[in-house]
Amino acid sequence: MRYQPIPNRLFVRNRKNFIAQMEENSVAIFFSNDQSPRNGDQFHPFRQQSDFFYLTGIDQEKSILILAPNCPNKNLREVLFVLKTNKIIETWEGHKYSKEEATKTSGIEHVFWIEDFDVSLKEVMSFMNNVYLNGNEYAKFLPDVETREIRLGKELKAQFPFHNYHRSAPLLTNLRLIKSKEEITVIKKACEITNKAFRRVLRNTQHGMLEFEVEADISYEFIRNGANGHAYSPIVASGKNACTLHYVENDKKLKKGDLLLMDFGAEYANYSADLSRTIPVSGKFTQRQKDVYNAVLRVMKEIKKMYIPGNTIQDINDTTNDLMQEEMIMLGLFTKEELDKQPDLYKNYFMHGTAHFMGLDVHDVGSKFEPLQPGMVLTCEPGLYIQEESIGVRIENDILVTENEPEDLMVDFPIEVEEIEMLMNE
Ligand code: GLY
Ligand code: MN
Ligand code: MN
């Protein structure tokens, strides 16, 4: 792996915490992700299923985990199945886990080859009444293709129709929302790499470059620092492109008077960072750009204080919207009277939420109604998008909720106008 191994005590603890939420007489089954087909004989780069990684640390395709804590056969209470490698696989694809390595990574004593799964499962199922299966329950996410866990989960239900089936997802969401010390260390590393990339961009960006050249600088810094790559498709949007929220073409030329909005984050050991910064292509903000930028920054500084136990993402969004409306009036985008008549007017200039959970996935599990607790990591990302002026500003940091003050994991990233201008002109 490109990353430093995560201590297996994290995965041991995660399984223990999952098991503690299971009903008696149950088995939980988890599948790794598919190798997603691309075209011809190619696959997309493999990315482990996040819950599977959370429970095992195993970063390899064709793996299965069984948890059956009450199984009378002690050898089947916690079993990891991995691909049985051979000379041909080693020669063509490279190294795969040995049983010993899989044990060391996951802390699971009983590691079997994947071809033994059917017979082991049949035995476990003969003792158990309840089966926990997992699925991606991310709200409003509707992919066309089935994941491996859905496909194999359906097969299991067909093979064992008389068991009671339960959802693992709510149990995992409860756990994944609160980041352990080991996870926070890894998220901080993803942030540190992202900071290096941003500083490289500040040094190198000039008018005349193409947006993808900036993207290349970011990717360069990610890869040379051991990140898997980008945690999501990076947005490098100059001028009016910044007003397209999910702009990922990144193929336009940087023009002198334009702003450049970037939203990118490294993925390290399968954990994300999520950063947005907006900089002037020329190295100097115009007065108007500075006014808009500082309006967003003021809101961010104020809203960051809300990342404390008890508040919800919904509360954060609502307050941001209120503050942002005041800033919009001061920027002359509309008057108070116009807003009173048309309360949704602000949505023309700020149309997304301010926070989401972050962790193994950039948009991590957890709903906007969840009261914040220590150990949760969220983004803080207010923005302002003025199409008619080709100005789009978003500023985004990642925040750890603690017992006391929120901890900004990006506190040492350049953010003030003067700082950005200075670094661009060194
Ligand atoms: N990069 C995606 C987001 O900021 O939510
Ligand atoms: Mn974000
Ligand atoms: Mn982002």
Side-chain angles (χ1 to χ4, degrees):
M1 301 305 163
R2 294 181 180 197
Y3 51 85
Q4 291 296 314
I6 300 176
N8 69 20
R9 62 174 178 267
L10 171 68
F11 312 115
V12 172
R13 194 190 311 128
N14 291 346
R15 290 192 299 276
K16 189 165 152 255
N17 290 338
F18 183 87
I19 286 167
Q21 299 180 83
M22 287 168 72
E23 280 185 21
E24 284 283 299
N25 219 359
S26 299
V27 52
I29 305 161
F30 299 94
F31 300 100
S32 62
N33 255 344
D34 270 318
Q35 286 174 292
S36 177
R38 204 179 102 155
N39 271 299
D41 64 352
Q42 300 297 303
F43 291 104
H44 288 287
F46 178 72
R47 168 55 158 81
Q48 187 55 281
Q49 204 280 343
S50 295
D51 296 315
F52 193 86
F53 188 80
Y54 185 78
L55 294 169
T56 65
I58 292 292
D59 218 343
Q60 189 169 286
E61 72 283 1
K62 298 193 175 94
S63 313
I64 303 177
L65 170 69
I66 289 185
L67 299 175
N70 314 122
C71 186
N73 182 346
K74 286 187 181 156
N75 295 339
L76 294 178
R77 286 183 183 167
E78 183 175 81
V79 191
L80 177 67
F81 299 86
V82 293
L83 188 69
K84 183 177 181 181
T85 191
N86 58 39
K87 194 92 186 78
I88 294 173
I89 294 176
E90 289 279 342
T91 303
W92 285 83
E93 293 181 31
H95 183 67
K96 304 283 173 187
Y97 292 106
S98 66
K99 287 186 179 179
E100 294 71 28
E101 287 166 338
T103 293
K104 195 162 167 226
T105 302
S106 63
I108 297 171
E109 188 186 341
H110 299 289
V111 178
F112 300 162
W113 298 128
I114 194 82
E115 58 221 46
D116 297 326
F117 173 68
D118 286 343
V119 65
S120 303
L121 179 74
K122 192 80 202 279
E123 183 176 342
V124 173
M125 292 294 264
S126 73
F127 294 116
M128 298 300 151
N129 293 332
N130 307 306
V131 186
Y132 284 82
L133 292 178
N134 196 27
N136 177 350
E137 298 194 2
Y138 200 96
K140 298 182 193 156
F141 181 64
L142 303 163
D144 288 335
V145 291
E146 270 182 356
T147 56
R148 187 160 176 262
E149 58 189 5
I150 297 287
R151 198 175 62 249
L152 299 187
K154 278 185 183 170
E155 284 176 19
L156 263 171
K157 285 180 90 166
Q159 197 185 342
F160 301 97
F162 307 120
H163 284 71
N164 304 317
Y165 285 87
H166 295 281
R167 295 151 60 213
S168 295
L171 282 55
L172 280 158
T173 296
N174 281 341
L175 300 179
R176 280 180 54 186
L177 270 168
I178 313 286
K179 273 64 184 176
S180 310
K181 222 166 75 225
E182 295 83 0
E183 293 181 283
I184 291 165
T185 301
V186 181
I187 291 172
K188 284 184 173 171
K189 177 75 182 171
C191 290
E192 181 193 313
I193 297 172
T194 304
N195 193 5
K196 286 185 181 169
F198 178 46
R199 287 174 183 274
R200 183 178 189 84
V201 167
L202 287 174
R203 283 197 302 277
N204 288 358
T205 301
Q206 287 179 14
H207 69 91
M209 281 170 76
L210 289 148
E211 291 163 346
F212 59 70
E213 293 179 74
V214 178
E215 179 182 332
D217 264 336
I218 298 166
S219 305
Y220 172 83
E221 210 61 59
F222 282 4
I223 301 299
R224 74 192 287 262
N225 283 288
N228 301 347
H230 293 267
Y232 51 92
S233 297
I235 296 167
V236 183
S238 62
K240 68 173 171 29
N241 305 321
C243 297
T244 303
L245 294 181
H246 290 162
Y247 176 83
V248 288
E249 285 86 1
N250 303 350
D251 59 356
K252 308 294 184 307
K253 199 173 260 187
L254 307 192
K255 295 205 286 285
K256 235 178 191 165
D258 280 349
L259 287 178
L260 176 66
L261 186 159
M262 293 162 291
D263 186 338
F264 60 90
E267 183 178 85
Y268 183 81
N270 292 329
Y271 283 82
S272 308
D274 187 3
L275 171 78
S276 296
R277 283 292 183 272
T278 309
I279 64 173
V281 168
S282 68
K284 187 138 181 56
F285 288 87
T286 65
Q287 189 57 50
R288 177 65 172 169
Q289 289 169 346
K290 203 187 292 190
D291 290 345
V292 177
Y293 186 92
N294 281 330
V296 178
L297 187 57
R298 264 194 302 278
V299 172
M300 187 200 208
K301 285 178 180 170
E302 199 52 39
I303 289 299
K304 260 168 53 172
K305 299 177 193 160
M306 290 187 72
Y307 288 60
I308 53 173
N311 283 334
T312 64
I313 289 179
Q314 181 77 68
D315 298 332
I316 290 170
N317 285 343
D318 290 346
T319 309
T320 310
N321 292 344
D322 291 345
L323 293 180
M324 206 54 102
Q325 290 172 50
E326 290 169 21
E327 295 288 353
M328 288 175 192
I329 291 169
M330 287 199 286
L331 287 167
L333 296 177
F334 43 72
T335 62
K336 170 102 179 47
E337 293 68 38
E338 285 169 323
L339 184 64
D340 287 343
K341 267 193 237 143
Q342 218 183 311
D344 272 357
L345 209 47
Y346 77 94
K347 289 187 183 163
N348 292 338
Y349 303 100
F350 179 48
M351 57 301 274
H352 58 74
T354 303
H356 55 81
F357 292 109
M358 213 194 68
L360 276 167
D361 294 304
V362 63
H363 293 168
D364 213 41
V365 292
S367 89
K368 62 181 175 185
F369 308 110
E370 188 74 46
L372 301 189
Q373 293 177 56
M376 292 181 173
V377 178
L378 302 99
T379 62
C380 180
E381 49 180 310
L384 237 168
Y385 310 90
I386 314 173
Q387 293 246 12
E388 53 276 24
E389 298 181 47
S390 292
I391 289 180
V393 173
R394 182 164 61 256
I395 312 176
E396 175 176 27
N397 280 11
D398 303 337
I399 315 286
L400 170 66
V401 180
T402 75
E403 306 268 358
N404 309 303
E405 297 292 294
E407 181 182 342
D408 187 340
L409 303 178
M410 296 181 155
V411 71
D412 55 342
F413 287 45
I415 199 164
E416 297 292 337
V417 161
E418 299 72 26
E419 219 178 346
I420 289 170
E421 290 184 344
M422 191 189 71
L423 289 167
M424 292 188 78
N425 289 290
E426 259 176 5

